[in-house]
Amino acid sequence: MTLLTFRFAPSPNGELHLGHAYSALLNQKLANSSGGRLLLRIEDIDTTRCTPEFEAGMIADLKWLGLDWKEPVRRQSEHFAEYETVLKRLIRQELVYPAFMSRGEIRAFIADSEKRGRDWPRDPDGVPLYPPADKALSMKERNRRIAENAPFAWRLDVGAAMARAGKDLAWAEFSDETLSTTRFVEARPQDWGDVIVARRDIPTSYHLAVVIDDALQGVSHVVRGQDLFSATGVQRLLQEILGLQPPAYFHHRLILGPDGRKLSKSLRDTGLTALRDAGASPEEIRRTVGL
Ligand code: GLU
């Protein structure tokens, strides 16, 4: 039997909180109980918001918690050239296109369309889908704007990508923390519209880097928060058009704050460093998150 591989993949753009602790500890528990391995991946492609200080803080918190991962740690910012190779393939295959509309232009376009009585579709997070106008630009016009240094992002042509996949897609989702049974969930990448797969200056996005790395690192089980459940459809489509082996998924419950809301990296009182400084022990953290 092949070795099961789990990963914990935080973004160092803030401090770890109880929700991260639960995710990391659950991955560790599953890796241990299955005789598998746990990898740590630092998802720091957003070089403006991610810092080495946050990364060092995260690693210190994880060590304090008792997390034990297999080295080396993969730091995404060190692999931009690999992502760029894949991006170039998608450009060549015309599965991505340069999208030039600014946030203001998108807002104005949608307001105009809604004024004329048409509700503009929104993604599962409530964000309006990207308007189709740029997809119709000629190659000459695209090249002209790029040569003029117009800001743009590479967006997935989700319709073209789904046509390329040529079949309905689904992913295997475990039903609970014990990973005992799976069901197949229909992937609905179209619900997210033409998502960003790379920026002008950063040759990748969260979705692109995550599917490349999960495949490259041989991740067999992606165990992460429920908040990423429906975005998995986008990742499943990218895996298909890139010919990558999909892992199985478990999207776990989220640890909520006292106000019943999702924790954020700016909520100091549930931050691991703050809890440790206030005298909490790793055992107390485990108990608090129910592990
Ligand atoms: N880096 C992502 C985050 O911190 C997690 C990505 C994933 O687990 O797929 O939210």
Side-chain angles (χ1 to χ4, degrees), residues 76-110:
Q76 290 186 326
S77 61
E78 293 170 353
H79 298 277
F80 284 146
E82 289 162 52
Y83 306 131
E84 190 166 10
T85 305
V86 177
L87 173 64
K88 283 191 173 144
R89 204 163 100 206
L90 292 174
I91 296 172
R92 259 197 326 270
Q93 295 177 322
E94 296 184 25
L95 294 174
V96 296
Y97 63 91
F100 298 97
M101 287 172 90
S102 65
R103 284 212 188 116
E105 285 169 335
I106 299 173
R107 250 196 316 272
F109 180 95
I110 289 164

Short mmCIF file of all heavy atoms in Angstrom, two decimals, residues 76-110:
data_model
loop_
_atom_site.label_atom_id
_atom_site.label_comp_id
_atom_site.label_asym_id
_atom_site.label_seq_id
_atom_site.Cartn_x
_atom_site.Cartn_y
_atom_site.Cartn_z
N GLN A 76 6.17 28.15 -1.05
CA GLN A 76 5.72 28.38 -2.43
C GLN A 76 6.47 29.52 -3.12
O GLN A 76 6.70 29.47 -4.32
CB GLN A 76 4.21 28.64 -2.45
CG GLN A 76 3.43 27.38 -2.13
CD GLN A 76 1.93 27.54 -2.27
OE1 GLN A 76 1.40 28.62 -2.00
NE2 GLN A 76 1.24 26.49 -2.66
N SER A 77 6.88 30.53 -2.37
CA SER A 77 7.55 31.68 -3.00
C SER A 77 8.89 31.28 -3.62
O SER A 77 9.45 32.04 -4.40
CB SER A 77 7.75 32.80 -1.98
OG SER A 77 8.57 32.34 -0.92
N GLU A 78 9.39 30.08 -3.27
CA GLU A 78 10.66 29.63 -3.85
C GLU A 78 10.46 28.85 -5.15
O GLU A 78 11.42 28.35 -5.72
CB GLU A 78 11.41 28.76 -2.83
CG GLU A 78 11.87 29.56 -1.63
CD GLU A 78 12.41 28.67 -0.50
OE1 GLU A 78 12.31 27.42 -0.60
OE2 GLU A 78 12.91 29.25 0.48
N HIS A 79 9.19 28.75 -5.58
CA HIS A 79 8.91 27.88 -6.73
C HIS A 79 8.16 28.58 -7.85
O HIS A 79 7.47 27.93 -8.63
CB HIS A 79 8.13 26.64 -6.26
CG HIS A 79 8.92 25.82 -5.28
ND1 HIS A 79 9.85 24.89 -5.68
CD2 HIS A 79 8.95 25.85 -3.93
CE1 HIS A 79 10.41 24.36 -4.60
NE2 HIS A 79 9.89 24.92 -3.53
N PHE A 80 8.28 29.90 -7.91
CA PHE A 80 7.54 30.64 -8.93
C PHE A 80 7.85 30.14 -10.35
O PHE A 80 6.98 30.10 -11.21
CB PHE A 80 7.79 32.15 -8.81
CG PHE A 80 7.05 32.80 -7.67
CD1 PHE A 80 7.60 33.86 -6.96
CD2 PHE A 80 5.78 32.35 -7.30
CE1 PHE A 80 6.91 34.46 -5.90
CE2 PHE A 80 5.08 32.95 -6.25
CZ PHE A 80 5.65 34.00 -5.55
N ALA A 81 9.10 29.75 -10.59
CA ALA A 81 9.47 29.30 -11.94
C ALA A 81 8.67 28.05 -12.33
O ALA A 81 8.26 27.90 -13.49
CB ALA A 81 10.96 29.02 -12.01
N GLU A 82 8.42 27.17 -11.36
CA GLU A 82 7.65 25.94 -11.67
C GLU A 82 6.20 26.29 -12.01
O GLU A 82 5.61 25.73 -12.93
CB GLU A 82 7.66 25.00 -10.46
CG GLU A 82 9.00 24.35 -10.23
CD GLU A 82 9.13 23.78 -8.83
OE1 GLU A 82 8.25 23.01 -8.40
OE2 GLU A 82 10.12 24.12 -8.14
N TYR A 83 5.64 27.24 -11.25
CA TYR A 83 4.25 27.62 -11.53
C TYR A 83 4.16 28.30 -12.90
O TYR A 83 3.20 28.12 -13.63
CB TYR A 83 3.71 28.56 -10.44
CG TYR A 83 3.84 28.01 -9.04
CD1 TYR A 83 4.38 28.77 -8.01
CD2 TYR A 83 3.41 26.72 -8.76
CE1 TYR A 83 4.51 28.26 -6.73
CE2 TYR A 83 3.53 26.19 -7.47
CZ TYR A 83 4.09 26.98 -6.46
OH TYR A 83 4.22 26.48 -5.20
N GLU A 84 5.20 29.07 -13.21
CA GLU A 84 5.20 29.80 -14.48
C GLU A 84 5.19 28.84 -15.67
O GLU A 84 4.52 29.08 -16.68
CB GLU A 84 6.41 30.73 -14.55
CG GLU A 84 6.31 31.67 -15.71
CD GLU A 84 7.30 32.83 -15.63
OE1 GLU A 84 8.20 32.81 -14.76
OE2 GLU A 84 7.16 33.73 -16.45
N THR A 85 5.91 27.74 -15.55
CA THR A 85 5.93 26.74 -16.62
C THR A 85 4.51 26.23 -16.88
O THR A 85 4.08 26.08 -18.03
CB THR A 85 6.84 25.55 -16.21
OG1 THR A 85 8.12 26.10 -15.88
CG2 THR A 85 6.97 24.53 -17.29
N VAL A 86 3.79 25.96 -15.81
CA VAL A 86 2.42 25.45 -15.96
C VAL A 86 1.51 26.55 -16.52
O VAL A 86 0.70 26.30 -17.41
CB VAL A 86 1.90 24.93 -14.60
CG1 VAL A 86 0.46 24.46 -14.74
CG2 VAL A 86 2.79 23.82 -14.08
N LEU A 87 1.69 27.77 -16.02
CA LEU A 87 0.88 28.89 -16.52
C LEU A 87 1.07 29.05 -18.03
O LEU A 87 0.10 29.22 -18.78
CB LEU A 87 1.27 30.18 -15.79
CG LEU A 87 0.62 31.46 -16.33
CD1 LEU A 87 -0.89 31.41 -16.16
CD2 LEU A 87 1.21 32.70 -15.65
N LYS A 88 2.32 28.95 -18.46
CA LYS A 88 2.60 29.12 -19.90
C LYS A 88 1.86 28.08 -20.72
O LYS A 88 1.41 28.35 -21.83
CB LYS A 88 4.11 29.06 -20.15
CG LYS A 88 4.79 30.36 -19.74
CD LYS A 88 6.21 30.40 -20.24
CE LYS A 88 6.84 31.76 -20.00
NZ LYS A 88 8.27 31.63 -19.66
N ARG A 89 1.78 26.88 -20.17
CA ARG A 89 1.05 25.82 -20.87
C ARG A 89 -0.43 26.20 -21.01
O ARG A 89 -1.02 26.07 -22.08
CB ARG A 89 1.18 24.53 -20.06
CG ARG A 89 1.00 23.30 -20.87
CD ARG A 89 1.54 22.11 -20.12
NE ARG A 89 0.46 21.37 -19.48
CZ ARG A 89 0.62 20.62 -18.40
NH1 ARG A 89 1.78 20.55 -17.78
NH2 ARG A 89 -0.40 19.95 -17.92
N LEU A 90 -0.99 26.73 -19.93
CA LEU A 90 -2.41 27.12 -19.97
C LEU A 90 -2.63 28.27 -20.95
O LEU A 90 -3.66 28.33 -21.63
CB LEU A 90 -2.89 27.51 -18.57
CG LEU A 90 -2.97 26.36 -17.56
CD1 LEU A 90 -3.30 26.90 -16.16
CD2 LEU A 90 -4.00 25.32 -17.99
N ILE A 91 -1.64 29.17 -21.04
CA ILE A 91 -1.75 30.29 -21.99
C ILE A 91 -1.73 29.74 -23.42
O ILE A 91 -2.56 30.09 -24.25
CB ILE A 91 -0.61 31.32 -21.78
CG1 ILE A 91 -0.72 31.97 -20.39
CG2 ILE A 91 -0.64 32.40 -22.87
CD1 ILE A 91 0.46 32.85 -19.99
N ARG A 92 -0.78 28.84 -23.65
CA ARG A 92 -0.66 28.24 -24.99
C ARG A 92 -1.93 27.50 -25.40
O ARG A 92 -2.37 27.55 -26.53
CB ARG A 92 0.51 27.25 -25.01
CG ARG A 92 1.76 27.80 -25.63
CD ARG A 92 2.77 26.69 -26.00
NE ARG A 92 2.80 25.55 -25.11
CZ ARG A 92 3.59 25.46 -24.02
NH1 ARG A 92 4.39 26.44 -23.69
NH2 ARG A 92 3.57 24.37 -23.27
N GLN A 93 -2.54 26.86 -24.43
CA GLN A 93 -3.76 26.08 -24.72
C GLN A 93 -5.01 26.96 -24.77
O GLN A 93 -6.11 26.45 -24.93
CB GLN A 93 -3.93 25.00 -23.65
CG GLN A 93 -2.83 23.97 -23.66
CD GLN A 93 -3.00 22.95 -22.55
OE1 GLN A 93 -3.42 23.29 -21.44
NE2 GLN A 93 -2.69 21.70 -22.84
N GLU A 94 -4.81 28.26 -24.56
CA GLU A 94 -5.92 29.23 -24.56
C GLU A 94 -6.99 28.87 -23.55
O GLU A 94 -8.19 29.05 -23.79
CB GLU A 94 -6.49 29.40 -25.97
CG GLU A 94 -5.45 29.99 -26.92
CD GLU A 94 -5.99 30.27 -28.32
OE1 GLU A 94 -7.21 30.44 -28.46
OE2 GLU A 94 -5.18 30.30 -29.26
N LEU A 95 -6.56 28.37 -22.41
CA LEU A 95 -7.51 28.07 -21.33
C LEU A 95 -7.52 29.21 -20.31
O LEU A 95 -8.34 29.21 -19.39
CB LEU A 95 -7.14 26.74 -20.66
CG LEU A 95 -7.31 25.52 -21.57
CD1 LEU A 95 -6.79 24.26 -20.90
CD2 LEU A 95 -8.77 25.35 -21.98
N VAL A 96 -6.61 30.15 -20.45
CA VAL A 96 -6.61 31.36 -19.61
C VAL A 96 -6.53 32.57 -20.53
O VAL A 96 -6.09 32.46 -21.68
CB VAL A 96 -5.43 31.39 -18.60
CG1 VAL A 96 -5.53 30.26 -17.61
CG2 VAL A 96 -4.08 31.36 -19.33
N TYR A 97 -6.96 33.70 -20.04
CA TYR A 97 -6.89 34.93 -20.84
C TYR A 97 -6.56 36.10 -19.92
O TYR A 97 -6.85 36.06 -18.71
CB TYR A 97 -8.21 35.17 -21.58
CG TYR A 97 -9.40 35.40 -20.67
CD1 TYR A 97 -9.77 36.69 -20.27
CD2 TYR A 97 -10.15 34.32 -20.20
CE1 TYR A 97 -10.86 36.89 -19.43
CE2 TYR A 97 -11.24 34.52 -19.36
CZ TYR A 97 -11.59 35.81 -18.98
OH TYR A 97 -12.65 36.02 -18.13
N PRO A 98 -5.93 37.14 -20.49
CA PRO A 98 -5.61 38.30 -19.65
C PRO A 98 -6.87 39.14 -19.41
O PRO A 98 -7.57 39.49 -20.36
CB PRO A 98 -4.57 39.07 -20.48
CG PRO A 98 -4.78 38.63 -21.88
CD PRO A 98 -5.41 37.27 -21.87
N ALA A 99 -7.13 39.42 -18.15
CA ALA A 99 -8.35 40.15 -17.76
C ALA A 99 -7.91 41.52 -17.25
O ALA A 99 -7.13 41.62 -16.31
CB ALA A 99 -9.08 39.37 -16.68
N PHE A 100 -8.41 42.54 -17.92
CA PHE A 100 -7.88 43.90 -17.67
C PHE A 100 -8.77 44.77 -16.79
O PHE A 100 -8.35 45.85 -16.39
CB PHE A 100 -7.69 44.62 -19.02
CG PHE A 100 -6.70 43.96 -19.92
CD1 PHE A 100 -7.10 43.09 -20.93
CD2 PHE A 100 -5.33 44.19 -19.75
CE1 PHE A 100 -6.18 42.47 -21.76
CE2 PHE A 100 -4.41 43.57 -20.58
CZ PHE A 100 -4.83 42.71 -21.59
N MET A 101 -10.00 44.34 -16.52
CA MET A 101 -10.91 45.26 -15.81
C MET A 101 -10.46 45.48 -14.38
O MET A 101 -10.14 44.53 -13.65
CB MET A 101 -12.34 44.71 -15.82
CG MET A 101 -13.00 44.82 -17.18
SD MET A 101 -14.59 43.96 -17.23
CE MET A 101 -15.66 45.27 -16.72
N SER A 102 -10.48 46.76 -13.97
CA SER A 102 -10.13 47.08 -12.58
C SER A 102 -11.36 46.80 -11.71
O SER A 102 -12.47 46.62 -12.23
CB SER A 102 -9.75 48.55 -12.48
OG SER A 102 -10.90 49.34 -12.77
N ARG A 103 -11.17 46.83 -10.39
CA ARG A 103 -12.31 46.61 -9.49
C ARG A 103 -13.41 47.61 -9.77
O ARG A 103 -14.59 47.28 -9.78
CB ARG A 103 -11.86 46.73 -8.04
CG ARG A 103 -11.11 45.53 -7.60
CD ARG A 103 -11.34 45.26 -6.12
NE ARG A 103 -10.41 44.19 -5.76
CZ ARG A 103 -9.43 44.32 -4.91
NH1 ARG A 103 -9.25 45.46 -4.27
NH2 ARG A 103 -8.62 43.32 -4.66
N GLY A 104 -13.01 48.87 -9.99
CA GLY A 104 -13.99 49.93 -10.24
C GLY A 104 -14.76 49.67 -11.53
O GLY A 104 -15.97 49.85 -11.58
N GLU A 105 -14.05 49.23 -12.55
CA GLU A 105 -14.71 48.95 -13.84
C GLU A 105 -15.69 47.78 -13.70
O GLU A 105 -16.78 47.79 -14.27
CB GLU A 105 -13.67 48.63 -14.91
CG GLU A 105 -12.94 49.87 -15.42
CD GLU A 105 -11.72 49.54 -16.28
OE1 GLU A 105 -11.15 48.43 -16.13
OE2 GLU A 105 -11.34 50.39 -17.08
N ILE A 106 -15.28 46.79 -12.94
CA ILE A 106 -16.17 45.63 -12.73
C ILE A 106 -17.44 46.10 -12.02
O ILE A 106 -18.56 45.78 -12.43
CB ILE A 106 -15.48 44.53 -11.89
CG1 ILE A 106 -14.24 44.02 -12.62
CG2 ILE A 106 -16.44 43.40 -11.58
CD1 ILE A 106 -13.40 43.05 -11.79
N ARG A 107 -17.23 46.90 -10.97
CA ARG A 107 -18.39 47.40 -10.20
C ARG A 107 -19.34 48.19 -11.09
O ARG A 107 -20.55 47.99 -11.06
CB ARG A 107 -17.90 48.29 -9.05
CG ARG A 107 -18.10 47.64 -7.69
CD ARG A 107 -17.99 48.66 -6.55
NE ARG A 107 -16.89 49.59 -6.71
CZ ARG A 107 -15.64 49.38 -6.28
NH1 ARG A 107 -15.34 48.26 -5.66
NH2 ARG A 107 -14.71 50.30 -6.43
N ALA A 108 -18.76 49.07 -11.90
CA ALA A 108 -19.59 49.91 -12.78
C ALA A 108 -20.34 49.05 -13.80
O ALA A 108 -21.53 49.24 -14.05
CB ALA A 108 -18.71 50.94 -13.48
N PHE A 109 -19.65 48.08 -14.36
CA PHE A 109 -20.27 47.18 -15.36
C PHE A 109 -21.47 46.46 -14.74
O PHE A 109 -22.55 46.38 -15.34
CB PHE A 109 -19.21 46.17 -15.83
CG PHE A 109 -19.71 45.20 -16.85
CD1 PHE A 109 -19.53 45.44 -18.21
CD2 PHE A 109 -20.35 44.03 -16.48
CE1 PHE A 109 -19.98 44.54 -19.16
CE2 PHE A 109 -20.82 43.13 -17.42
CZ PHE A 109 -20.63 43.38 -18.76
N ILE A 110 -21.27 45.97 -13.52
CA ILE A 110 -22.33 45.18 -12.88
C ILE A 110 -23.49 46.10 -12.46
O ILE A 110 -24.66 45.76 -12.66
CB ILE A 110 -21.75 44.40 -11.69
CG1 ILE A 110 -20.86 43.29 -12.26
CG2 ILE A 110 -22.85 43.81 -10.80
CD1 ILE A 110 -19.93 42.69 -11.26
#
